[in-house]
């Protein structure tokens, strides 16, 4: 772009035409406002005029050093002799550190929403960690899954497993009975429903983890760490900007000084909450014998999918015939068998072999979910 002055229709223009056109379009949002009004809004921190969208738009049109130099050549030129974009830039050039000032006001305007969103994510993850870690019903259910898997694989090298990782729990959903009338999950549901009250209550394990779905949707820890760091760096910039103004009676200084004190206290507390959450998540991964690098979205995502499918199977919403490849009629036959007490729970179930010719086990200690001690008999679930 060129900062050379040209005269068009008696108006002096020093701004590159395309940039000037875009600026003119942007200025249309300030209806019934003079350029002096916009300048005063920036000086006095008027957030009724300076909305988030407006601030972002203004940031794009901060005068460059070349543009300021070109405008300085026409310092004595009446405003009406300048183009609209030139008039606006000349007015805004009087604001010291305009770009930094706009960034500070934008941070000030967005802080509460950004802080609240981050705090909510941290709270959800911390709560979900506690819900999963303390869910005794889930632990008993996983013990049953392990026991059934070891029973099925008793005569193979996969038998006698000490546990399995969370990811392998999903394999339970695909392990089909050889009669095509359900999966291992349905067999376990049948077993629990036919048991005593204590066993039946295990089916409600999902109700004790209401925060898991939200935790599965939460931002990755790396993103949350970055967002928290940005809040901190934004406050540092605010503090620096305030110190650049000598006038303690300046409205910007008064408002930002008070804001900085309150916001800094909030961010400090949030850092403590974030540290507590990350420690709780590390402890949860250790409790389930998972690798310390497993992302939160992967762990809670796997838990959510298991809960959703298990809940559907327990409520009869999942088509047993479709699950076993036998169609709706087979599903209805299975339901009828359940009502008449002819569940496969009374005998050792026969399970289909995979296309590769090997049984599909959900209890593979090297592939594994909540592995009790995949690397050795000395480890135990929960230690």
């Amino acid at each position: 772009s060129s900062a050379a002055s040209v005269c068009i229709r008696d108006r002096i223009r020093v701004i590159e035409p395309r940039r000037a056109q875009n600026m003119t379009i942007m200025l249309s949002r300030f209806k019934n406002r003079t350029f002096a009004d916009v300048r005063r809004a920036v000086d006095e921190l008027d957030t009724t005029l300076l909305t988030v969208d407006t601030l972002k738009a203004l940031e794009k049109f901060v005068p460059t050093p070349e543009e300021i130099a070109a405008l300085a050549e026409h310092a004595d030129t009446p405003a009406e002799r300048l183009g609209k974009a030139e008039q606006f830039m000349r007015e805004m050039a009087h604001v010291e550190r305009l770009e930094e000032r706009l960034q500070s006001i934008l941070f000030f305007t967005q802080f509460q929403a950004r802080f609240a969103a981050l705090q909510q994510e941290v709270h959800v993850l911390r709560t979900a960690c506690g819900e999963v870690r303390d869910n005794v019903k889930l632990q008993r259910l996983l013990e049953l899954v392990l026991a059934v898997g070891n029973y099925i694989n008793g005569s193979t090298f996969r038998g006698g497993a000490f546990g399995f990782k969370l990811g392998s729990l999903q394999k339970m959903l695909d392990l089909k009975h050889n009669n095509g009338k359900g999966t291992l999950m349905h067999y376990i549901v049948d077993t629990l429903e036919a048991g005593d009250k204590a066993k039946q209550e295990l089916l409600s394990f999902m109700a004790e983890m209401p925060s898991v779905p939200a935790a599965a949707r939460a931002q990755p820890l790396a993103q949350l760490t970055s967002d928290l760091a940005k809040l901190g760096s934004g406050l540092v910039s605010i503090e620096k900007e305030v110190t650049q103004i000598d006038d303690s009676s300046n409205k910007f200084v008064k408002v930002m000084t008070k804001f900085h004190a309150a916001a800094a206290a909030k961010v400090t507390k949030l850092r403590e909450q974030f540290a507590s959450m990350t420690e709780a998540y590390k402890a949860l991964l250790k409790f389930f014998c998972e690798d310390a690098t497993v992302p939160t979205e992967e762990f809670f995502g796997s838990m959510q999918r298991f809960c959703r499918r298990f809940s559907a199977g327990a409520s009869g919403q999942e088509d047993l015939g479709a699950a076993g490849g036998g169609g709706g009629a087979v599903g209805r036959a299975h339901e009828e068998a359940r009502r008449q007490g002819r569940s496969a729970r009374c005998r050792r179930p026969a399970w289909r072999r995979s296309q590769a010719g090997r049984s599909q086990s959900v209890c593979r200690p090297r592939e594994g979910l909540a592995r009790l001690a995949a690397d050795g008999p000395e480890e135990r679930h929960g230690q």
Side-chain angles (χ1 to χ4, degrees):
S1 62
S2 173
S5 300
V6 295
C7 191
I8 301 177
R9 294 182 182 177
D10 298 325
R11 285 184 179 272
I12 298 173
R13 304 180 189 275
V14 300
I15 301 173
E16 189 272 327
R18 177 62 64 85
R19 178 169 163 82
Q21 181 183 23
N22 291 336
M23 192 181 306
T24 301
I25 295 173
M26 182 275 293
L27 292 173
S28 64
R29 69 178 62 220
F30 298 110
K31 295 180 179 180
N32 304 319
R33 298 279 188 164
T34 65
F35 297 152
D37 290 336
V38 179
R39 174 188 170 183
R40 280 193 294 270
V42 175
D43 276 332
E44 300 177 5
L45 198 63
D46 182 2
T47 54
T48 59
L49 179 60
L50 301 178
T51 64
V52 171
D53 290 340
T54 298
L55 288 165
K56 290 181 178 180
L58 287 173
E59 277 189 309
K60 298 177 182 178
F61 298 105
V62 172
T64 66
E66 294 78 14
E67 290 168 341
I68 292 176
L71 286 168
E73 296 178 7
H74 304 280
D76 298 328
T77 302
E80 59 270 16
R81 290 290 310 281
L82 299 176
K84 189 174 183 179
E86 284 75 11
Q87 294 178 37
F88 175 74
M89 277 202 170
R90 188 166 76 171
E91 186 70 41
M92 299 306 293
H94 292 295
V95 180
E96 294 184 6
R97 298 172 57 84
L98 175 61
E99 184 173 10
E100 291 80 2
R101 180 70 66 89
L102 291 174
Q103 291 172 350
S104 296
I105 298 174
L106 181 60
F107 179 83
F108 169 79
T109 305
Q110 293 181 309
F111 175 81
Q112 190 54 45
R114 291 171 59 184
F115 173 82
L118 184 54
Q119 186 181 50
Q120 178 63 20
E121 297 262 275
V122 171
H123 173 73
V124 163
L125 287 170
R126 180 64 182 88
T127 303
C129 288
E131 291 173 355
V132 177
R133 175 64 176 80
D134 300 332
N135 194 328
V136 177
K137 294 179 181 178
L138 173 64
Q139 296 171 27
R140 300 288 82 79
L141 178 62
L142 297 181
E143 290 176 0
L144 177 59
V145 173
L146 179 63
V148 173
N150 279 333
Y151 183 63
I152 294 171
N153 294 320
S155 60
T156 72
F157 72 92
R158 294 194 180 95
F162 287 97
F164 46 88
K165 287 188 176 181
L166 185 60
S168 288
L169 186 59
Q170 304 304 314
K171 299 180 187 297
M172 182 185 75
L173 307 180
D174 300 319
L175 183 57
K176 301 179 179 66
H177 196 288
N178 68 349
N179 63 10
K181 295 182 179 179
T183 66
L184 176 59
M185 181 185 68
H186 296 114
Y187 172 78
I188 291 177
V189 170
D190 285 350
T191 301
L192 294 176
E193 290 180 340
D196 56 24
K197 182 178 180 180
K199 288 187 173 60
Q200 292 173 5
E201 288 180 348
L202 297 184
L203 293 172
S204 63
F205 75 96
M206 297 84 71
E208 298 182 7
M209 302 187 297
S211 299
V212 166
R217 297 190 301 270
Q219 294 290 329
L221 286 183
Q223 183 61 54
L224 297 180
T225 301
S226 175
D227 291 345
L228 184 56
K230 287 178 181 178
L231 289 182
S233 62
L235 288 174
V236 171
S237 297
I238 292 288
E239 185 177 22
K240 180 180 178 180
E241 196 60 27
V242 168
T243 60
Q244 297 294 321
I245 304 175
D246 294 331
D247 184 6
S248 60
S249 64
N250 182 282
K251 184 177 179 180
F252 179 88
V253 173
K254 288 183 176 180
V255 173
M256 285 302 187
T257 299
K258 182 178 180 180
F259 162 73
H260 182 275
K266 289 183 177 181
V267 171
T268 297
K269 185 175 181 180
L270 182 57
R271 287 195 181 105
E272 296 172 354
Q273 294 171 342
F274 183 82
S276 174
M277 179 270 290
T278 54
E279 288 302 314
Y281 182 61
K282 289 178 182 178
L284 181 64
L285 292 177
K286 184 177 181 180
F287 178 73
F288 278 86
C289 297
E290 292 285 344
D291 190 282
T293 61
V294 174
T296 55
E297 62 272 23
E298 179 181 324
F299 180 90
F300 290 113
S302 295
M303 186 64 68
Q304 180 190 23
R305 288 189 294 274
F306 169 67
C307 290
R308 184 186 298 122
R309 292 291 300 277
F310 199 93
S311 177
S315 63
Q317 295 176 0
E318 184 171 277
D319 190 340
L320 301 183
V330 175
R332 289 191 295 273
H334 187 89
E335 267 311 303
E336 181 63 26
R338 291 174 63 183
R339 285 196 296 270
Q340 296 179 16
R342 301 197 306 268
S343 172
R345 64 182 178 272
C346 298
R347 60 183 182 278
R348 176 169 177 158
W351 304 96
R352 284 185 176 177
R353 301 177 71 83
S354 67
Q355 293 180 353
R358 297 185 302 177
S359 60
Q360 304 176 40
S361 171
V362 296
C363 300
R364 299 174 182 173
R366 295 185 182 275
E367 299 179 18
L369 163 113
R371 181 180 51 164
L372 308 188
D375 297 324
E378 71 280 358
E379 297 182 6
R380 288 294 181 270
H381 184 56
Q383 293 183 348

